Amino acid sequence: MSMLTKQHILTKMMKITCNFSTSFFSYKPFSSSSLLSFKPSHTFSPSSSINNHTLPSFSTSATNGSTCTLTWDHVFHVSQSEVGVEEHDPCSYLQGYFHKVQLCNRGSDKQSEFLPFVIEGNVVGFIHNRFVEHLRSFNDVFVFPKDGGPFGHCVSLHPLLKTAEERTSSLGYVIEHLGEEHIPGIRNELYPVKSSFDKPVFFSLERAAAPYFGIKAYGVHMNGYVEIDGQKHLWIAKRSHTKSTYPGMLDHLVAGGLPHGIDCQENVVKECEEEAGIPRSISIRANAVGAVSYMDIDGDRYKRDVLFCYDLKLPESFVPKNEDGEVESFKLIPVKQVAEIIRKTQFFKPNCAIVIIDFLFRHGYISPENYGYLDLLRSLRIGDCS
Amino acid sequence: MSMLTKQHILTKMMKITCNFSTSFFSYKPFSSSSLLSFKPSHTFSPSSSINNHTLPSFSTSATNGSTCTLTWDHVFHVSQSEVGVEEHDPCSYLQGYFHKVQLCNRGSDKQSEFLPFVIEGNVVGFIHNRFVEHLRSFNDVFVFPKDGGPFGHCVSLHPLLKTAEERTSSLGYVIEHLGEEHIPGIRNELYPVKSSFDKPVFFSLERAAAPYFGIKAYGVHMNGYVEIDGQKHLWIAKRSHTKSTYPGMLDHLVAGGLPHGIDCQENVVKECEEEAGIPRSISIRANAVGAVSYMDIDGDRYKRDVLFCYDLKLPESFVPKNEDGEVESFKLIPVKQVAEIIRKTQFFKPNCAIVIIDFLFRHGYISPENYGYLDLLRSLRIGDCS
């Protein structure tokens, strides 16, 4: 509970400090700032003039592309826009970042609506009261002790399911029967279920079901950057409009969930190849640089994610090429402009914003002279980072 | 209390994982590893052969130099020593780091021996029961409510002391009268007293007294590094034998407490000049890269420190020069060797070890494939990092 109390306090603090609009509608008119002198075809420049009326209308909870019309021109427009006086103010400068952290840490006040999911005395997840009702008929898979020892009322697995294989198979059967109606986006990819990263795996569960069982989910997110004349630039991806989650939004160069049976470094190498066409000879140089975590409650879904962060310094000559159809296009954007996009808009897939804020901290783009520096730093690991 | 519970759990975990010796006596015999090819006079090389019998005998709690005989040869010996099989094991590799974090986070089980020090409804410190007895006779400065509202039995300032100036002056009087007997190392340097970094300053207190009042203390620690043929090297300082604290031990290139009335960046620039002769034209490029925190109880002293971490990439040609007599000498050491020194010895001033472990995380020298990665990462901010 101490972790949740901490989360509650931070969320409350963020609500207080974020009470002015940080949406993409708050930015200032187009500026005449000149473009970078370095401009190969993949770098970041407007192909036409735009105005506020063409701004995209998606929300962060978008799960289809119907209303999503974000273009690189919108992105460019924001990143180049003039900075208002209040945004130079060290007392308010970080508020746009706090807001993005908050978008990944919703619903901490709803924690009491969930029951712990307990395996062999370990809490491995949290299941919403409503979702528990869907599980009651599977009485050879689940049990629902009213007094589960230190955990009180909880959900557990039937004691006859003793091995990881039996549990994985039984849960697979449940997921299949609940189907898309209750668990949309089933992708036949298994996540390991464990109480924390270094602990034994109790069984494996369909990735799309993880938030319905409140399972800890681990991922790797990689910032691919290039240094040009001493200025760092980030390669930013724009997600395909056909993606089932966050279509058309901005993303890292490379990111992916950590499936069962593959380690972080190997997963980075694999995703580098698939998502950005980065050969192993380069991707093997990606550096593990820490982790961020968040806890997000959205209806019956409880995300408890830990993202291992990687940095990869790429050669200036490298141009990414998506191999799996999940990325529409890439742009190389100066880090200072990426920072402004994060601060002022919700163009980025929310958890990517957190990983980029972590990058901004580590690379000196956020300084202690700004009010809330330590609070923002801590907020990047509000979730159970274990 | 949630912060303390978290600390207690982590400390317990660290005790469990650190039950083999990680002291400097555990390293392996001298190896024949060749030196770096890059060897100007200030780089890291042995001036004579040494053996175990010449190892230094200081402890981390040393406050005078009488038994401290650490030389660069000792340091070199350890960093070049062969790595035993168990140290390649990803299950145990991080234990030497956990131990160093633990050295900065002692005594969490002694928290109940301290009373909260409360100003205007804010806990600004913690004072040991024994030390409280020294304060009782100053009854025009302190009050000792038995029921201080939500804080229970606590220490506070006399209600007639209303302004920061009055409080600073009265506390100064108390410190002066308690003198070196009760507060050794008085240095006439004032620290701001506040509940967290961005909060208002209630008054200022002699730096040496901060741990006796359990005041939050802030500092800046800077890793000065050089990249040679793609390999990072850290400039390491050896503290003067005349320093009152941790004489002769290894230290960062630049570090210092944050006195009242100066911001972090300006303090880094000032300390760069004084401690390493780094001109402002270079030091202004130091990047804020995050923060670490710890809570250390040692007798009547309760340290609650937050260290703002900075990285400064230095030109290969730069050689530091101490200007204030606090550093005996500097060496440029490959980061991989610094990591081994941290893991295997207690040669570093303990809080510098934590800041360097943070550097190792951010620069990719520690990977998630090692057991305890996330636990170690979190442990770098066990203390109240606010």
Side-chain angles (χ1 to χ4, degrees), chain A residues 365-382:
Chain A
Y365 291 88
I366 300 178
S367 80
E369 282 67 45
N370 289 299
Y371 183 87
Y373 180 85
L374 292 173
D375 295 333
L376 184 63
L377 184 65
R378 289 200 320 282
S379 77
L380 302 182
R381 292 195 217 132
I382 291 180

Side-chain angles (χ1 to χ4, degrees), chain B residues 36-49:
Chain B
L36 273 179
S37 57
F38 174 84
K39 281 187 298 186
S41 62
H42 53 270
T43 52
F44 190 52
S45 64
S47 59
S48 64
S49 66

Side-chain angles (χ1 to χ4, degrees), chain B residues 356-376:
Chain B
I356 292 177
I357 294 170
D358 177 73
F359 180 93
L360 297 175
F361 267 108
R362 290 183 292 98
H363 290 263
Y365 291 88
I366 300 178
S367 80
E369 282 67 46
N370 289 299
Y371 183 87
Y373 180 85
L374 292 173
D375 295 333
L376 183 64

Side-chain angles (χ1 to χ4, degrees), chain A residues 2 6 197-198 218 263-265 287-291 306 308 310 361-364 366-375 377-378 381 385-386, chain B residues 2 6 197-198 218 263-265 287-291 306 308 310 361-364 366-375 377-378 381 385-386:
Chain A
S2 66
K6 190 180 67 163
F197 187 66
D198 292 320
Y218 300 89
D263 75 21
C264 290
Q265 182 76 35
N287 279 331
V289 291
V306 176
F308 293 95
Y310 284 77
F361 267 108
R362 290 183 291 99
H363 289 263
I366 300 178
S367 80
E369 282 67 45
N370 289 299
Y371 183 87
Y373 180 85
L374 292 173
D375 295 333
L377 184 65
R378 289 200 320 282
R381 292 195 217 132
C385 194
S386 71
Chain B
S2 66
K6 190 180 66 163
F197 187 66
D198 292 320
Y218 300 88
D263 75 22
C264 290
Q265 183 76 35
N287 279 330
V289 291
V306 176
F308 292 95
Y310 284 76
F361 267 108
R362 290 183 292 98
H363 290 263
I366 300 178
S367 80
E369 282 67 46
N370 289 299
Y371 183 87
Y373 180 85
L374 292 173
D375 295 333
L377 184 66
R378 290 200 319 282
R381 293 195 216 131
C385 194
S386 72

Side-chain angles (χ1 to χ4, degrees), chain A residues 1-17 98 102 105 108-109 375 378-379 382, chain B residues 1-3 199 384 386:
Chain A
M1 286 303 290
S2 66
M3 189 64 76
L4 291 167
T5 310
K6 190 180 67 163
Q7 181 189 23
H8 183 69
I9 292 166
L10 272 165
T11 306
K12 201 170 160 189
M13 178 276 296
M14 287 191 287
K15 279 178 183 160
I16 293 165
T17 60
F98 274 116
Q102 195 184 8
N105 290 280
S108 61
D109 54 331
D375 295 333
R378 289 200 320 282
S379 77
I382 291 180
Chain B
M1 286 302 290
S2 66
M3 189 63 77
K199 287 290 175 354
D384 174 3
S386 72

Side-chain angles (χ1 to χ4, degrees), chain A residues 82-228:
Chain A
E82 281 174 11
V83 176
V85 173
E86 83 285 355
E87 292 171 351
H88 280 303
D89 180 0
C91 292
S92 62
Y93 183 79
L94 301 185
Q95 295 189 357
Y97 296 135
F98 274 116
H99 184 228
K100 301 316 170 303
V101 174
Q102 195 184 8
L103 291 175
C104 286
N105 290 280
R106 298 167 300 170
S108 61
D109 54 331
K110 302 288 198 302
Q111 166 68 18
S112 61
E113 298 174 8
F114 290 75
L115 292 185
F117 182 23
V118 177
I119 314 279
E120 297 178 17
N122 297 275
V123 175
V124 297
F126 295 93
I127 309 177
H128 196 277
N129 287 327
R130 277 189 299 262
F131 198 80
V132 167
E133 294 312 309
H134 302 316
L135 306 180
R136 286 199 188 275
S137 59
F138 299 94
N139 52 20
D140 50 350
V141 179
F142 297 102
V143 292
F144 307 90
K146 284 286 177 198
D147 180 14
F151 310 110
H153 190 184
C154 68
V155 180
S156 192
L157 292 182
H158 196 287
L160 283 180
L161 300 173
K162 289 198 192 307
T163 68
E165 290 72 20
E166 287 164 352
R167 291 163 175 170
T168 300
S169 164
S170 297
L171 266 290
Y173 170 85
V174 171
I175 306 300
E176 194 184 326
H177 277 72
L178 289 174
E180 285 285 329
E181 183 194 349
H182 297 298
I183 302 172
I186 292 175
R187 48 172 100 185
N188 298 313
E189 187 181 324
L190 291 177
Y191 265 14
V193 174
K194 43 192 179 180
S195 56
S196 60
F197 187 66
D198 292 320
K199 287 290 175 354
V201 177
F202 290 115
F203 63 95
S204 299
L205 182 71
E206 159 60 30
R207 176 174 177 170
Y212 293 94
F213 289 85
I215 299 303
K216 295 283 292 285
Y218 300 89
V220 292
H221 276 230
M222 194 191 82
N223 297 291
Y225 72 100
V226 174
E227 214 157 327
I228 303 168

